[in-house]
Amino acid sequence: MKGKLYLAVGSSVALVLAGGLVSGGAVHAASDSRVMAVGSTALQPLATQAAEMFGEKHAGVNVVVQGGGSGAGLSQVGKGGVTIGNSDIFASQKAGVDAKKLKDHKVAVVGIVPVVNEDIKVKSLTMNQLRDIFSGKITNWKDVGGQDEMIVLINRAQGSGTRFTFEREVMNGEDTKTAQEQDDNGAVQKIVSKTPGAISYLAFSYTSGPNAKGLRTLSIDKVSPTDKNVRSNKWQIWAYGHIYTAKKTDKNTKVYIKFVKSSAMKKTIKKLGYFPVSDMNVVRNADGDVKKSKLVNEIIAVQ
């Protein structure tokens, strides 16, 4: 029998085998054969694909992947409620989490980009314009070269790692205007694509494919959101995709993390819209400081 993959969204859980969907309901896997990963929805497509591939190779090991946001993942792994906390922020950036008790495994880089409904006749904004839109100073697209249409802000919820990164790199300390908030990247993707005048931000992995129909990404200061620009930090809105565990964890979790970080996953990471950490030309620490280095892997390993 091949390994099992549980995909959890909210309170519903689907058991998936190689043959397809088998059943729904609560998870009842034995704890000694289960890896439970909760957290970042920006990292969720990668975590889901990795879990499925891992399950095909490791009979009897059940992998559970659930969203909830980086904050939830860090809080739960910190309390010992789950095996893995997926996060696109450093544990030290989450209040109430003792980062010293956790082990950080950087498995990918997540690019984040402003997205608009395809009806918007704007292709690029300056960083100041983007900041003024999300702070509420600019409320109509005509003020940034678009049509006479009110701007509809869609934000991520508090505790979102994607929101943390966006606000750190874009808002420069300014408050974000109160607006509609969504818990995950998938919800933002759907709402922006169906709402005229809407703007938000998404992980790169949510900006392509059939579910991204009706969306368009924006350049910032004439810099395009490309792989090359993320790798060089010319595109500055990005974060590491972290897998956090307790300092001492079980064998199955160790094997799973080793698989996610293996060369076998590198093509999959790129295909899904992420970047292998080893491909980056820069490194960034928890304080947001970025340094260029030819010894990326060595620096990452000692952070």
Side-chain angles (χ1 to χ4, degrees):
M1 178 179 176
K2 292 184 177 180
K4 303 173 184 177
L5 163 64
Y6 289 89
L7 304 180
V9 181
S11 60
S12 62
V13 181
L15 170 58
V16 180
L17 297 177
L21 183 65
V22 176
S23 64
V27 177
H28 296 293
S31 60
D32 61 352
S33 64
R34 186 178 71 182
V35 177
M36 182 73 179
V38 172
S40 167
T41 62
L43 200 58
Q44 193 169 359
L46 173 58
T48 299
Q49 184 64 42
E52 185 173 4
M53 293 169 65
F54 179 81
E56 290 292 319
K57 297 177 178 292
H58 297 82
V61 180
N62 305 320
V63 181
V64 182
V65 178
Q66 185 172 344
S70 297
L74 290 169
S75 295
Q76 290 193 45
V77 74
K79 295 175 182 177
V82 299
T83 322
I84 285 173
N86 289 328
S87 175
D88 42 320
I89 61 174
F90 287 86
S92 59
Q93 294 170 329
K94 170 62 179 173
V97 173
D98 188 350
K100 295 179 181 179
K101 293 183 178 180
L102 300 177
K103 186 172 183 179
D104 182 7
H105 311 268
K106 297 179 183 71
V107 296
V109 170
V110 181
I112 298 166
V113 59
V115 294
V116 296
N117 184 276
E118 64 180 357
D119 79 316
I120 303 302
K121 295 179 175 60
V122 173
K123 295 182 179 180
S124 182
L125 295 170
T126 67
M127 186 64 81
N128 286 337
Q129 287 173 332
L130 183 62
R131 184 181 305 118
D132 286 348
I133 286 173
F134 276 88
S135 67
K137 294 177 183 177
I138 295 176
T139 59
N140 194 302
W141 285 109
K142 69 180 181 181
D143 295 328
V144 290
Q147 67 268 42
D148 185 3
E149 183 173 6
M150 295 302 294
I151 295 173
V152 180
L153 288 180
I154 310 295
N155 209 345
R156 288 296 307 280
Q158 292 290 346
S160 159
T162 306
R163 175 171 176 165
F164 178 94
T165 300
F166 181 85
E167 291 186 339
R168 183 187 65 190
E169 301 302 327
V170 173
M171 298 309 294
N172 196 29
E174 288 194 41
D175 291 334
T176 304
K177 181 182 177 181
T178 300
Q180 180 183 169
E181 295 184 354
Q182 295 298 323
D183 288 336
D184 61 77
N185 279 266
V188 169
Q189 181 189 60
K190 292 178 182 178
I191 291 172
V192 174
S193 67
K194 296 178 180 179
T195 306
I199 183 172
S200 190
Y201 45 90
L202 288 171
F204 281 17
S205 51
Y206 286 85
T207 61
S208 61
N211 292 332
K213 185 178 180 180
L215 287 178
R216 190 154 41 78
T217 61
L218 297 180
S219 298
I220 301 175
D221 292 327
K222 298 182 180 180
V223 176
S224 300
T226 64
D227 297 9
K228 180 180 179 180
N229 287 336
V230 170
R231 288 197 298 269
S232 67
N233 195 49
K234 192 173 182 181
W235 183 270
Q236 298 179 4
I237 315 175
W238 60 271
Y240 290 112
H242 307 259
I243 289 179
Y244 275 99
T245 65
K247 290 288 187 179
K248 293 183 179 180
T249 190
D250 63 278
K251 178 182 177 181
N252 288 329
T253 300
K254 290 178 180 178
V255 174
Y256 170 69
I257 293 172
K258 184 177 180 180
F259 174 79
V260 177
K261 297 177 74 173
S262 69
S263 57
M265 279 295 299
K266 194 168 184 177
K267 288 184 179 179
T268 300
I269 287 172
K270 291 182 177 180
K271 183 178 180 181
L272 291 173
Y274 303 90
F275 311 92
V277 176
S278 60
D279 283 3
M280 293 294 288
N281 298 324
V282 298
V283 291
R284 176 184 278 161
N285 62 24
D287 294 325
D289 300 322
V290 176
K291 295 182 180 180
K292 292 184 178 180
S293 177
K294 295 180 181 180
L295 302 175
V296 173
N297 290 330
E298 287 80 358
I299 293 176
I300 289 292
V302 300
Q303 282 186 344

